[in-house]
Amino acid sequence: MATRVIIVRHGQSSYNAEQKIQGRSDGSVLTEKGHLDAEKVGNALSQIDIAAFYCSPLQRAKSTAEVIQSRLNHSPVIQPTSQLLEIDLPIWENMVKEEVKAQYPQEYRDWHQKPHEFKMILPDGQEHYPVLSLYQQAQDFWREIIPQHEGQTILIVAHNGINRCLILSAIGIPVSLYHSLQQSNCCVNVLNFTGDFGDPVQVESLNQTAHLGIALPPPRPPLQGSRLLLVRHGETQWNRDKRFQGVRDIPLNDNGKAQAEKAAEFLRETAIDHAVTSPLSRPKETAQIILQYHPNVTLDTQVDLTEICHGLWEGKLEEEIEASFPGMLEDWKNAPETVQMPEGENLQEVWDRAIACWQQIVKTYSNSDSPKTIMVVAHDAINKVILCYLLGLKPANFWNIKQGNGAVSVIDYPKGVDSQPVLQAINITSHLGAGILDRTAAGAL
């Protein structure tokens, strides 16, 4: 049975407001805003059955945990643990960020550009690698905690840095991409472990902020490049029936149209400058419904965003596929990169065309003097391979990413087309009415 892990970053702290480096300093406390946002997290989680509750012992995280606990219907005792301490930056702690930039310019550049190589020389002459040490700390936490909670839901309240390393290490994302995951104050992330640490882990969602009244996480730092909204089409009847559709042009069902309407309302106040869709009717109709509130945006179609071709699987249910192609469906679930769809595509072919298309979209619409927002509406497999690519993963990691019908993911290119993208959010489905958990149909592609 899967173990669900909900990871929350602490609320805004005094040092956050003052733009100070916190690290493991314990002088930073929750602001009034931080306290109010923690209450909102508690309200969002109040109906979830939580079996264990872990937090960092630093007061900004521990106070957040206590506020959340006060709003839960059923909550276990909070267990502070040093394995959830924030990144250790002893030389920089308590300094304003601008002071750090001025006094340690090379180290600060390394911190942002090469976090896996970033080091500090301590007063005793020892070399300290803060990000590598934190990544190891996260791995140690998972090895100890996950075996204790098979089939349960656990809640973690910690910090920006350790949360990133928890997510990176769980999925197998390279530590060099430490700065590619956003963690907003009081955000919610959801991971689903299929077994112990080292077994496959699914990212159900990353950096949800809608429960705070913030539909999409704001850019950080101020965006100079483009923002892309990656949307999966609404539900079809074949999704609901768990029938493989692939390149079959199956339209939205009534629920899918309702999901698209909810996505439209969710993105109503978001400025959208350009929009691109797969030519199949289910994403195209989803995009058209969303763009009802953005009438001046032209919708472009890109054939390379078409869903994976399942070939002879299309139109079939799982039991029919197993009868015709014994064992192949199990391979698809456990080693998707090894499967050649009969008279269809393999995952590498989908990867190559989808990534090339994505890169071209970014390049085409980022050629501007001002930041632009581009909406891309596509399919489950297409969105998954794009997100895997952006996270430094491979086709073998296909099932590590969840994409619900009507879900929205947010990707920023903070310094332009050639900069390292930042995954601001993955698989936001809260606008569909099910709270922080993805309750969309778990159907076939």
Side-chain angles (χ1 to χ4, degrees):
M1 293 177 64
T3 299
R4 176 187 290 138
V5 181
I6 301 172
I7 303 174
V8 177
R9 184 186 175 194
H10 65 75
Q12 184 195 64
S13 68
S14 53
Y15 277 26
N16 290 147
E18 296 164 7
Q19 292 291 296
K20 285 185 176 181
I21 303 291
Q22 301 181 108
R24 296 188 175 180
S25 167
D26 205 16
S28 184
V29 298
L30 280 188
T31 62
E32 181 179 358
K33 178 181 183 338
H35 190 283
L36 292 174
D37 283 346
E39 290 183 347
K40 294 175 183 176
V41 176
N43 292 336
L45 302 179
S46 63
Q47 303 301 314
I48 297 174
D49 183 12
I50 296 169
F53 194 162
Y54 297 94
C55 79
S56 161
L58 298 178
Q59 58 178 329
R60 60 189 184 273
K62 192 168 183 289
S63 296
T64 301
E66 290 168 346
V67 173
I68 292 172
Q69 184 187 48
S70 72
R71 297 287 171 141
L72 300 179
N73 289 346
H74 305 283
S75 174
V77 174
I78 298 172
Q79 301 179 61
T81 170
S82 61
Q83 290 180 314
L84 293 175
L85 283 168
E86 179 57 306
I87 190 168
D88 189 16
L89 300 168
I91 297 176
W92 294 357
E93 284 176 5
N94 306 313
M95 294 178 66
V96 176
K97 290 180 181 179
E98 291 302 318
E99 295 175 345
V100 173
K101 289 183 186 179
Q103 294 184 34
Y104 303 93
Q106 184 59 54
E107 291 87 346
Y108 195 80
R109 280 193 295 273
D110 288 346
W111 158 247
H112 280 281
Q113 297 174 10
K114 299 182 290 184
H116 55 300
E117 298 179 6
F118 167 60
K119 66 181 178 181
M120 287 183 165
I121 306 299
L122 302 180
D124 61 4
Q126 292 189 36
E127 293 183 345
H128 170 51
Y129 290 84
V131 179
L132 290 179
S133 298
L134 192 68
Y135 195 86
Q136 182 63 55
Q137 176 184 313
Q139 291 178 313
D140 292 342
F141 175 80
W142 290 135
R143 289 191 182 98
E144 178 181 338
I145 298 301
I146 291 302
Q148 301 178 32
H149 299 291
E150 181 179 355
Q152 297 178 333
T153 296
I154 67 174
L155 175 60
I156 294 168
V157 177
H159 309 267
N160 187 2
I162 183 60
N163 285 8
R164 292 183 189 188
C165 282
L166 288 170
I167 296 165
L168 292 171
S169 62
I171 310 302
I173 300 169
V175 69
S176 59
L177 297 184
Y178 175 82
H179 290 293
S180 293
L181 300 184
Q182 181 65 291
Q183 288 291 279
S184 304
N185 288 116
C186 274
C187 70
V188 172
N189 312 273
V190 182
L191 302 181
N192 296 313
F193 284 73
T194 62
D196 289 336
F197 176 65
D199 293 326
V201 177
Q202 179 195 64
V203 179
E204 179 173 317
S205 65
L206 172 76
N207 202 41
Q208 294 189 61
T209 58
H211 55 282
L212 305 175
I214 304 169
L216 305 179
R220 182 185 175 190
L223 190 64
Q224 298 173 16
S226 54
R227 162 165 284 198
L228 283 94
L229 308 178
L230 183 61
V231 181
R232 185 186 175 198
H233 64 77
E235 182 184 282
T236 70
Q237 194 55 45
W238 281 22
N239 287 144
R240 175 59 52 184
D241 296 340
K242 300 185 178 181
R243 191 178 297 277
F244 282 73
Q245 48 194 359
V247 300
R248 299 285 186 92
D249 201 7
I250 310 304
L252 300 179
N253 63 14
D254 288 344
N255 187 48
K257 292 176 182 178
Q259 289 172 330
E261 290 285 354
K262 291 174 181 177
E265 189 63 37
F266 182 64
L267 297 174
R268 184 171 187 164
E269 302 302 320
T270 298
I272 298 175
D273 300 292
H274 308 284
V276 185
T277 181
S278 155
L280 297 183
S281 61
R282 54 193 187 270
K284 190 173 183 179
E285 185 177 3
T286 300
Q288 290 168 335
I289 290 172
I290 293 172
L291 291 178
Q292 67 183 295
Y293 299 120
H294 307 270
N296 295 323
V297 177
T298 300
L299 182 60
D300 181 28
T301 59
Q302 291 289 332
V303 68
D304 284 337
L305 294 176
T306 303
E307 181 59 299
I308 182 173
C309 178
H310 284 298
L312 298 180
W313 286 16
E314 291 183 2
K316 291 181 167 56
L317 301 173
E318 287 196 359
E319 56 268 28
E320 295 171 327
I321 292 171
E322 178 59 27
S324 300
F325 306 95
M328 188 177 282
L329 190 61
E330 194 65 22
D331 290 340
W332 173 241
K333 293 178 179 179
N334 295 320
E337 76 284 6
T338 68
V339 175
Q340 174 64 55
M341 297 293 172
E343 298 186 18
E345 290 182 290
N346 61 49
L347 202 49
Q348 187 64 55
E349 291 172 323
V350 178
W351 182 283
D352 291 343
R353 64 174 170 85
I355 300 311
C357 186
W358 175 265
Q359 291 173 323
Q360 187 58 51
I361 290 169
V362 174
K363 183 178 180 180
T364 299
Y365 294 110
S366 294
N367 187 20
S368 172
D369 294 332
S370 59
K372 299 295 183 184
T373 298
I374 305 100
M375 181 178 72
V376 178
V377 185
H379 305 265
D380 192 5
I382 297 296
N383 291 11
K384 283 177 177 176
V385 300
I386 290 171
L387 292 167
C388 281
Y389 165 76
L390 296 173
L391 290 169
L393 299 172
K394 303 296 182 184
N397 301 106
F398 181 75
W399 297 114
N400 290 120
I401 307 297
K402 189 169 187 182
Q403 285 291 279
N405 291 115
V408 179
S409 300
V410 184
I411 302 96
D412 286 347
Y413 286 79
K415 302 296 183 182
V417 63
D418 296 322
S419 62
Q420 178 63 48
V422 175
L423 277 296
Q424 287 279 355
I426 293 177
N427 201 44
I428 302 173
T429 59
S430 54
H431 53 283
L432 303 178
I436 64 135
L437 301 179
D438 183 347
R439 305 290 191 187
T440 58
L445 304 186

